[in-house]
Amino acid sequence: MTKPRNSAQSWRLLWLIPVAVLAALSIVATGSSSSDDPGDDDVDPPLNILPTYNFFMANLTGNNPFTVSVASAYTVTVDIDGLFPGSVNLDADVNNIVTFLSYIVRSSARVDLTLTSTDPSPLDGTFAVIVTEDINAMVYGEPVSGAFEVVTPTETVSVSILADSIQLTLNGGAPVVYNTWEEFTNLFDDELQEAWQRRAALGAGAIGFVVEQFFSMADIFDELEAVTFASPVVEVCDMFTGTPPEGVLAQGEIVVTWLGSGELSDGDDFSWQFNQCWDADSNELIDGMVSLENYTETIDAITGILFEIGFGGLSGQPGGVVYDMTISDTVENQGIFTIPPEGVMTIDGGFALIIQSP
Amino acid sequence: MLVPTRQHRPEIGMLFLATLLLATGIMVYALDRAGAVYFLSDWTTAPTGTAIFGPLGDHVPTFLHPLVFILITAAVLRPWPRLLPAICAAWFAIECLFELGQMAPFDAHIAAALPSWFDSVPVLRITADYFTRGTYDPLDILSIGLGTVMAYPIVRAFLRGE
């Protein structure tokens, strides 16, 4: 072996630092380009929306967890572990109006749920919901396949979503089978059922709720540019078909406000103000606000392919979808609508939301 | 004053070859992928529809990258020629880790773990995208392996007798 002839040769080792940096940067720089700096292009190509995208959700930065309180009876806090990954199939028409069709929640997605009840409950505490096998579902539909685990310090509940049933096992024991998804998720409200099954049902409901919120927000992306042309945009809601609940408007409205200027661009914010907005289909009354903060969009400058869109970022950037709203069930009796106390749900906090090309 | 001398010829040769190979890799991106990568985002030539490098163009960069950096590292560490196997092994591992980082579920975890200040640095800004939007391809691992294996005899040829 040729030994270093003098100490000066040892200084060569320092060159390894820039070599390593150059290597890492040259690998990363082969990632896809963005439209953030489209150079001298004067003409934007037509927007090209792909049929499949990946999506990711993450916690908001700061101490602002996604929290749902139901009828003052219990509160569920959703803590997303890292990124909550999935993919979605969609259809975009000639005007680039997008319809989300089906989705997959990828295995490894994990949320930690903390349940706090007003009256002590065997379900109280923190547990993890971990997707162990890709969950496939139609958007706003029930899952058709996949598996997840609900894990506490003392028990692991495995839930398999099969073609004709839902199968639960506790710590690898004998399976308990439910024939329908609804039958399974309804376990949560049945206090006569065993706690581990109710916890599994809550885990399923939480994942479903998180994904539903994701799509309800993602659904408005194709409207954002139109909002910038006529901000604020006011939409009237359904009118009560009888006497509204006490203190509630007969017909509420939604006010969408763009808080940017010039053209829609990265970093812009929107507010989605629901002013006693009643939806006749779901019989729900929505009141409050959803803030959409730190818009981000990346379009390939040459092909026009939408690479990325969302609010917030994947690596702890500020922004996201921030809720401060109440959703109340309404019940009609002889033309008079009321809000039962157990039908009031408040949502606070939120999540970052990013949709990316595969 | 540092002046290249005859004793530096192996280093110069290795660095020259590394530069040539690096330029070849850049040409693949510039000609076949028409600026669809970050470091050529201002390269606005439209795709020709015909890949000049053919199907090999998909894997030539991943083949060349370890080869280039093994050459550079071997040039830097020329006084320690017995380190060559370790250099090859290290670059093979590093390149494979980047490739495997594009595979689910690692991609999402890596992206989530990146510091947010990366977003304010031009090249680092796309680090998360590299992992979440990049596609893991076993053929890339094979390309990395081939590049590493090719690098060994090439460097040995430069280091004849050492």
Side-chain angles (χ1 to χ4, degrees), chain A:
Chain A
M1 177 179 173
T2 304
K3 298 214 169 137
R5 295 180 187 88
N6 54 53
S7 62
Q9 288 181 331
S10 302
W11 286 97
R12 282 172 172 253
L13 294 173
L14 290 176
W15 279 102
L16 292 180
I17 297 170
V19 169
V21 171
L22 180 66
L25 292 181
S26 61
I27 292 173
V28 168
T30 59
S32 297
S33 58
S34 76
S35 69
D36 291 348
D37 180 15
D40 296 328
D41 290 349
D42 293 320
V43 180
D44 290 335
L47 182 63
N48 184 356
I49 297 176
L50 302 175
T52 301
Y53 278 87
N54 291 330
F55 69 80
F56 300 94
M57 301 170 75
N59 284 334
L60 296 173
T61 54
N63 186 22
N64 197 8
F66 190 34
T67 304
V68 179
S69 299
V70 179
S72 303
Y74 62 88
T75 298
V76 180
T77 302
V78 181
D79 178 12
I80 298 171
D81 182 57
L83 296 179
F84 186 91
S87 62
V88 60
N89 293 315
L90 55 83
D91 178 57
D93 68 12
V94 290
N95 297 314
N96 282 322
I97 302 299
V98 170
T99 304
F100 293 110
L101 303 174
S102 61
Y103 71 88
I104 296 172
V105 176
R106 273 168 39 185
S107 65
S108 84
R110 170 178 171 154
V111 292
D112 293 329
L113 303 181
T114 300
L115 180 79
T116 311
S117 304
T118 308
D119 298 324
S121 161
L123 302 182
D124 283 349
T126 298
F127 57 96
V129 182
I130 305 165
V131 177
T132 53
E133 192 180 303
D134 288 355
I135 295 176
N136 292 270
M138 300 303 290
V139 173
Y140 298 122
E142 295 172 351
V144 293
S145 66
F148 65 91
E149 288 181 347
V150 175
V151 182
T152 71
T154 56
E155 65 185 34
T156 297
V157 181
S158 301
V159 180
S160 298
I161 305 162
L162 307 174
D164 55 355
S165 62
I166 314 297
Q167 188 172 293
L168 282 65
T169 58
L170 173 62
N171 295 331
V176 176
V177 177
Y178 291 93
N179 293 324
T180 66
W181 182 255
E182 188 180 5
E183 192 181 350
F184 164 54
T185 53
N186 282 345
L187 292 172
F188 174 65
D189 291 323
D190 186 348
E191 294 184 1
L192 298 177
Q193 293 292 338
E194 293 181 81
W196 64 273
Q197 293 192 35
R198 294 180 65 201
R199 197 175 287 116
L202 174 60
I207 288 184
F209 182 78
V210 166
V211 172
E212 186 180 313
Q213 293 309 308
F214 170 86
F215 282 112
S216 66
M217 286 299 114
D219 260 341
I220 63 176
F221 278 127
D222 48 19
E223 300 172 22
L224 292 179
E225 190 160 28
V227 170
T228 66
F229 297 137
S231 179
V233 174
V234 180
E235 295 175 23
V236 291
C237 304
D238 294 335
M239 181 178 279
F240 276 101
T241 51
T243 305
E246 191 177 342
V248 174
L249 297 170
Q251 186 171 32
E253 62 183 18
I254 301 173
V255 181
V256 187
T257 307
W258 174 46
L259 304 172
S261 61
E263 289 184 343
L264 177 61
S265 54
D266 282 5
D268 284 357
D269 297 339
F270 293 80
S271 76
W272 220 261
Q273 179 75 46
F274 294 81
N275 186 16
Q276 297 184 341
C277 180
W278 186 64
D279 178 51
D281 292 335
S282 62
N283 270 310
E284 287 178 342
L285 180 71
I286 305 174
D287 195 49
M289 188 162 80
V290 181
S291 300
L292 306 169
E293 300 173 358
N294 194 14
Y295 177 74
T296 180
E297 176 192 276
T298 305
I299 297 170
D300 186 280
I302 298 169
T303 63
I305 290 174
L306 176 65
F307 272 154
E308 181 175 291
I309 192 167
F311 288 96
L314 297 178
S315 306
Q317 292 87 345
V321 180
V322 186
Y323 293 81
D324 179 12
M325 67 190 305
T326 303
I327 301 175
S328 307
D329 291 332
T330 59
V331 178
E332 188 252 332
N333 185 14
Q334 295 182 330
I336 298 173
F337 284 86
T338 55
I339 299 173
E342 67 275 14
V344 179
M345 177 170 70
T346 59
I347 308 175
D348 297 298
F351 46 82
L353 174 167
I354 294 289
I355 297 174
Q356 275 189 346
S357 68

